[in-house]
Amino acid sequence: MKITALLVVKCHPAGADPVILANATDVSHFGYFQRPSVREFIVFVGRTVASRTPPSQRQSVQHEDEEGGANCGDDATSKSSGIRNDLSEWQQQHAILVLSKSKELSQLRFKLCPRYLKERDFWRIYFTLAKNILAEYELRAVRLHKLNQMKLETQNGSDTSAYEVEMSETKLGTT
């Protein structure tokens, strides 16, 4: 499966035209003179599908061997990826990656959620089944995140941390 385009579109109520917030296309597999027309067509289809998809719903579009889809959230900041925001940051990143790489899992999720299974339950089951396989990678990601936080803290406030330590030691010594 090759992803040709990925668009983030904001729809306005009251019938205004949808606004494209982000657009990434790879039309290198089309002929040189076809590329501008293909980009224009992708934008047209993206706006049309986005405007016709009701909030909190998903829609799939298929033509011959090409496939497209829309996931319309109520709040663009929490649902722009179509992934539950009650997952940890690492789980969200993993879910986005695995859905983009595994067509089978993406189709299974599309068929099951929300008709038969809640999105939260789908990801709970997935991460429970994949726990043994993913534990090592999640631990590595958490450690790397903590190391980066510590590095940023030492860069931003190396002088203030020394004063805080002195003050806390002084308070402990007097009591």
Side-chain angles (χ1 to χ4, degrees), residues 143-158:
R143 285 180 181 165
L144 183 62
H145 181 69
K146 285 184 181 181
L147 286 173
N148 287 336
Q149 280 183 333
M150 290 171 55
K151 183 179 177 182
L152 287 173
E153 288 174 4
T154 57
Q155 288 176 350
N156 292 339
S158 58

Coordinates of all heavy atoms in Angstrom, one line a residue, residues 143-158:
R143 N 12.1 5.6 28.8 CA 13.4 6.0 29.3 C 14.0 7.2 28.5 O 14.6 8.1 29.0 CB 14.4 4.8 29.3 CG 14.1 3.8 30.4 CD 15.1 2.7 30.3 NE 14.8 1.7 31.3 CZ 15.3 0.5 31.3 NH1 16.1 0.1 30.3 NH2 15.1 -0.3 32.3
L144 N 13.9 7.1 27.2 CA 14.4 8.1 26.3 C 13.7 9.4 26.6 O 14.3 10.5 26.6 CB 14.3 7.7 24.9 CG 14.8 8.7 23.8 CD1 16.3 8.8 24.0 CD2 14.5 8.2 22.4
H145 N 12.4 9.4 26.8 CA 11.6 10.6 27.1 C 12.0 11.2 28.4 O 12.2 12.4 28.5 CB 10.1 10.2 27.1 CG 9.2 11.4 27.4 ND1 9.0 12.4 26.5 CD2 8.5 11.7 28.5 CE1 8.2 13.3 27.0 NE2 7.8 12.9 28.2
K146 N 12.3 10.4 29.4 CA 12.7 10.9 30.7 C 14.1 11.5 30.6 O 14.4 12.6 31.2 CB 12.7 9.8 31.8 CG 11.3 9.5 32.2 CD 11.3 8.4 33.3 CE 9.9 8.1 33.8 NZ 9.9 7.1 34.9
L147 N 15.0 10.9 29.9 CA 16.3 11.4 29.7 C 16.3 12.8 29.0 O 17.0 13.7 29.3 CB 17.2 10.5 28.9 CG 17.7 9.2 29.6 CD1 18.4 8.3 28.7 CD2 18.6 9.7 30.8
N148 N 15.4 12.9 28.0 CA 15.3 14.2 27.2 C 14.7 15.2 28.2 O 15.1 16.4 28.1 CB 14.4 14.0 26.0 CG 15.1 13.3 24.9 OD1 16.3 13.2 24.9 ND2 14.3 12.6 24.0
Q149 N 13.7 14.9 29.0 CA 13.2 15.8 30.0 C 14.3 16.3 31.0 O 14.4 17.5 31.3 CB 12.0 15.2 30.8 CG 10.7 15.2 30.0 CD 9.6 14.7 30.9 OE1 9.8 13.9 31.8 NE2 8.4 15.1 30.6
M150 N 15.1 15.4 31.5 CA 16.1 15.7 32.4 C 17.2 16.6 31.7 O 17.7 17.6 32.3 CB 16.8 14.5 32.9 CG 15.9 13.7 33.9 SD 16.5 12.0 34.3 CE 18.1 12.4 35.0
K151 N 17.5 16.3 30.5 CA 18.4 17.1 29.7 C 17.9 18.6 29.5 O 18.7 19.5 29.7 CB 18.7 16.5 28.4 CG 19.7 17.2 27.5 CD 19.9 16.5 26.2 CE 20.9 17.2 25.3 NZ 21.1 16.5 24.0
L152 N 16.6 18.7 29.2 CA 16.0 20.0 29.0 C 16.0 20.8 30.4 O 16.3 22.0 30.4 CB 14.6 19.9 28.5 CG 14.5 19.5 27.0 CD1 13.0 19.3 26.6 CD2 15.1 20.6 26.1
E153 N 15.7 20.1 31.5 CA 15.7 20.7 32.8 C 17.1 21.2 33.2 O 17.2 22.3 33.7 CB 15.1 19.8 33.8 CG 13.7 19.5 33.7 CD 13.2 18.4 34.7 OE1 14.0 17.9 35.5 OE2 12.0 18.1 34.6
T154 N 18.1 20.4 32.9 CA 19.4 20.9 33.2 C 19.9 22.0 32.4 O 20.6 22.9 32.8 CB 20.4 19.7 33.2 OG1 20.4 19.2 31.8 CG2 20.1 18.6 34.2
Q155 N 19.5 22.0 31.1 CA 19.9 23.1 30.2 C 19.1 24.4 30.6 O 19.7 25.5 30.6 CB 19.5 22.8 28.8 CG 20.5 21.8 28.2 CD 20.0 21.4 26.8 OE1 19.0 21.8 26.3 NE2 20.9 20.6 26.1
N156 N 17.9 24.3 30.9 CA 17.1 25.5 31.2 C 17.3 26.1 32.6 O 17.2 27.3 32.8 CB 15.6 25.2 31.0 CG 15.2 24.9 29.6 OD1 15.9 25.3 28.7 ND2 14.1 24.2 29.4
G157 N 17.5 25.3 33.6 CA 17.5 25.8 34.9 C 18.6 25.2 35.8 O 18.4 24.8 36.9
S158 N 19.9 25.2 35.3 CA 20.9 24.6 36.1 C 21.2 25.4 37.3 O 21.6 24.9 38.4 CB 22.2 24.5 35.2 OG 22.6 25.8 34.7

